[in-house]
Amino acid sequence: MTEARFGNKVRRTMSKPVIEIEDVVRPEWIDSNGHMNLAYYVVVFDYATDALYDALDIGNAYRARTQYSCFTAETHTLYERELHLGEKLRVRSWLLGADAKRVHYFHEMFHDASGERSCVQELMALHIDMRVRRVAPFEAEKYATMQALVREYAPMELPKGCGRRIALPGG
């Protein structure tokens, strides 16, 4: 692993996604414009979130074992390129950060054959105690593990489109 020291922190200098998933645009995902409907980009990103959570051990097994889960609190989706019926797509998922009660991550969807980026989604999730369905801090050991995963996976530079806001020019 290539690393650089920033103050007392060591960060990766070469970025890698936590996970990648593949899928194919299905007939039921096509809208009246003849391309993948915006809702199904979000469905694919939800599949990627499930895979990311499993890779980070905050998914279904974590919930069953601990009675804690993560709920998405905010998303931002940016559509960049159409996808059409039967086209293969690939999603890369990036862990951007985590604190005591939140996980910040980012998905990039690519048209597999051309390599062009089709869509991105940035998300913030809250750590939830399922017994009371309220935001709760990660337990100390899980928090330490999440911080280690951030050190391992957080990219040196945020992916293009991350942190973007919706506004009219001058607004």
Side-chain angles (χ1 to χ4, degrees):
M1 171 177 13
T2 306
E3 297 179 337
R5 184 166 290 282
F6 297 91
N8 63 352
K9 294 187 176 193
V10 175
R11 292 284 301 260
R12 296 177 44 79
T13 57
M14 295 186 67
S15 298
K16 66 177 181 175
V18 177
I19 57 103
E20 285 190 16
I21 67 165
E22 296 177 353
D23 212 321
V24 174
V25 179
R26 303 170 194 182
E28 61 270 23
W29 295 356
I30 301 301
D31 66 16
S32 60
N33 292 315
H35 60 204
M36 192 159 113
N37 179 272
L38 66 94
Y40 290 100
Y41 287 84
V42 176
V43 167
V44 173
F45 285 141
D46 192 50
Y47 297 154
T49 294
D50 290 344
L52 176 66
Y53 282 10
D54 287 346
L56 299 174
D57 189 33
I58 57 173
N60 291 333
Y62 175 71
R63 184 181 60 249
R65 186 174 70 248
T66 67
Q67 295 300 303
Y68 289 100
S69 188
C70 289
F71 288 10
T72 300
E74 184 174 346
T75 69
H76 185 153
T77 305
L78 178 62
Y79 302 91
E80 298 177 338
R81 181 193 183 283
E82 294 177 299
L83 288 169
H84 299 97
L85 180 62
E87 291 180 330
K88 187 174 175 186
L89 60 90
R90 178 180 309 274
V91 177
R92 293 183 184 134
S93 298
W94 303 88
L95 176 62
L96 302 180
D99 66 15
K101 297 178 183 178
R102 297 176 297 182
V103 181
H104 184 200
Y105 55 102
F106 190 82
H107 299 302
E108 292 181 293
M109 184 182 300
F110 295 87
H111 180 268
D112 194 59
S114 72
E116 291 179 85
R117 198 167 81 165
S118 298
C119 191
V120 298
Q121 187 178 59
E122 181 177 6
L123 302 98
M124 184 71 70
L126 302 174
H127 188 249
I128 303 293
D129 182 334
M130 295 298 290
R131 294 165 290 221
V132 293
R133 299 184 82 78
R134 298 276 186 241
V135 176
F138 287 103
E139 293 178 344
E141 184 177 324
K142 182 47 112 180
Y143 177 77
T145 299
M146 293 300 293
Q147 293 308 299
L149 290 166
V150 168
R151 286 191 300 276
E152 180 177 352
Y153 288 106
M156 290 299 298
E157 293 182 22
L158 294 177
K160 180 183 170 198
C162 187
R164 185 178 162 137
R165 68 182 185 100
I166 298 174
L168 294 172

